[in-house]
Amino acid sequence: MRRAGFSTTDSCRLLLLGVLVLAAVLAEQEGENLSGLSTNPDRGIFAVRENGTTCLMVEFAVKFLVPYDVLALNRIDLITEQASFTLPRGAQIDGKCGSTESEINISWKNNAYTLRIFFSKDIRDRGVEVWKINKVQFVYDTSETTHFINAYNPGKHTANTHRLSALVTPAGRSYLCTAQQTLTLISSDHQKGVTVAMYDIQIQPFDMTSDFVFSEPYKCIMDQRERLEETLPLILGLILALIIVITLTVYHFHLKLTAASQPQLPRDRSMYKNM
């Protein structure tokens, strides 16, 4: 009579399943909204954590400009309005961290709005490893009347970027930029252009070594250019002042040398009277 039991193959399968379940539990990822720590009321702080450690963090302010259709007064023609709003600090967060691909999803108003940002690593010239934003997606619902008033044929729409390569940053560093970064997304709503403007940014989607702490920042070119434009008048003023000082100094020495080369008359002129 054959005894019931597990074969070696069954045991291996159960062991493998247990390892996979354990790995999934250990790799549990969660999102945290830390916007309350920001001193800027327009700036949100959002983090994705894995195994109790931050693996992706975003600090920025975001403005949206979304076109939508409304009926004209004649109730026949359509006209385009613009909904303008910002990313709220009280949004819900989730995301995924990976070694070469990561993403963060920010939703609010009961998922009427969702901003998804996708990151990837890349190898550039001379083997330099960088990370970048390779896709931005924005889902919005024109039946949400806070921003979309009297929208024609309201419903959910999805806007996406096309072949995006933005915020390119050396691997292991965070991206830091005060200047505005503007992206245009193409919407499923009759190919309308949705504008997403990010500013006051610091982002790091990979290789974070400390919990809730960014790595060394990589400053954007726009900030460097603005800083140069601010300091250039001061530099030019200092150069002009230096030129004036040098010119006056040379002129002063020239006068002294000229005076020294002229014949000197005796101060006591009584000798000329007796002649």
Side-chain angles (χ1 to χ4, degrees):
M1 184 175 178
R2 187 177 176 181
R3 296 179 60 186
F6 292 106
S7 66
T8 304
T9 304
D10 292 335
S11 299
C12 291
R13 288 177 179 172
L14 288 173
L15 180 60
L16 179 59
L17 180 61
V19 170
L20 292 175
V21 171
L22 180 61
V25 172
L26 291 177
E28 182 181 358
Q29 297 174 345
E30 60 180 355
E32 291 198 25
N33 187 334
L34 306 172
S35 301
L37 301 177
S38 176
T39 56
N40 183 346
D42 297 325
R43 192 185 195 202
I45 306 176
F46 310 108
V48 178
R49 306 183 78 220
E50 182 179 70
N51 302 331
T53 302
T54 307
C55 56
L56 187 161
M57 192 157 74
V58 174
E59 294 188 21
F60 57 9
V62 186
K63 292 181 179 178
F64 301 90
L65 190 62
V66 184
Y68 67 101
D69 292 332
V70 299
L71 277 175
L73 293 177
N74 61 15
R75 311 303 295 175
I76 298 174
D77 298 324
L78 293 177
I79 59 176
T80 301
E81 297 286 353
Q82 299 278 357
S84 178
F85 50 92
T86 59
L87 176 66
R89 299 176 67 177
Q92 291 77 47
I93 310 301
D94 65 63
K96 299 177 182 177
C97 290
S99 58
T100 59
E101 293 185 351
S102 296
E103 68 178 82
I104 187 167
N105 306 315
I106 307 173
S107 303
W108 63 100
K109 284 283 183 180
N110 295 320
N111 294 322
Y113 305 93
T114 300
L115 176 65
R116 297 188 177 101
I117 305 176
F118 300 84
F119 306 90
S120 66
K121 278 188 175 180
D122 195 8
I123 302 296
R124 293 297 174 95
D125 296 337
R126 301 179 182 178
V128 176
E129 188 178 37
V130 299
W131 65 261
K132 63 183 180 180
I133 294 178
N134 64 347
K135 182 180 179 181
V136 174
Q137 183 182 85
F138 181 54
V139 179
Y140 60 97
D141 191 345
T142 55
S143 62
E144 201 282 304
T145 57
T146 303
H147 305 297
F148 300 100
I149 301 172
N150 299 323
Y152 175 76
N153 194 21
K156 275 202 171 185
H157 302 283
T158 302
N160 290 290
T161 53
H162 181 63
R163 295 183 179 178
L164 182 63
S165 181
L167 278 58
V168 179
T169 303
R173 299 176 67 178
S174 63
Y175 178 87
L176 180 65
C177 195
T178 302
Q180 181 172 295
Q181 311 282 304
T182 302
L183 303 173
T184 300
L185 287 62
I186 303 303
S187 175
S188 59
D189 182 15
H190 300 89
Q191 302 298 299
K192 290 181 173 64
V194 174
T195 300
V196 178
M198 303 181 293
Y199 59 97
D200 201 6
I201 309 165
Q202 189 162 13
I203 295 177
Q204 187 171 355
F206 302 102
D207 306 317
M208 295 194 69
T209 57
S210 299
D211 202 19
F212 301 123
V213 178
F214 287 110
S215 298
E216 179 186 359
Y218 173 78
K219 296 182 179 180
C220 65
I221 296 175
M222 289 74 70
D223 279 4
Q224 296 176 17
R225 186 180 300 135
E226 288 181 1
R227 191 173 296 109
L228 178 61
E229 291 175 353
E230 291 174 357
T231 57
L232 188 59
L234 177 60
I235 294 173
L236 292 177
L238 291 174
I239 292 174
L240 180 60
L242 182 61
I243 292 173
I244 293 173
V245 170
I246 292 174
T247 302
L248 291 175
T249 303
V250 171
Y251 180 70
H252 177 71
F253 278 106
H254 173 71
L255 290 179
K256 280 191 171 184
L257 291 174
T258 302
S261 62
Q262 292 179 352
Q264 299 292 322
L265 295 175
R267 294 180 179 178
D268 186 3
R269 301 188 177 214
S270 59
M271 58 181 296
Y272 294 104
K273 296 179 180 179
N274 299 327
M275 291 180 63

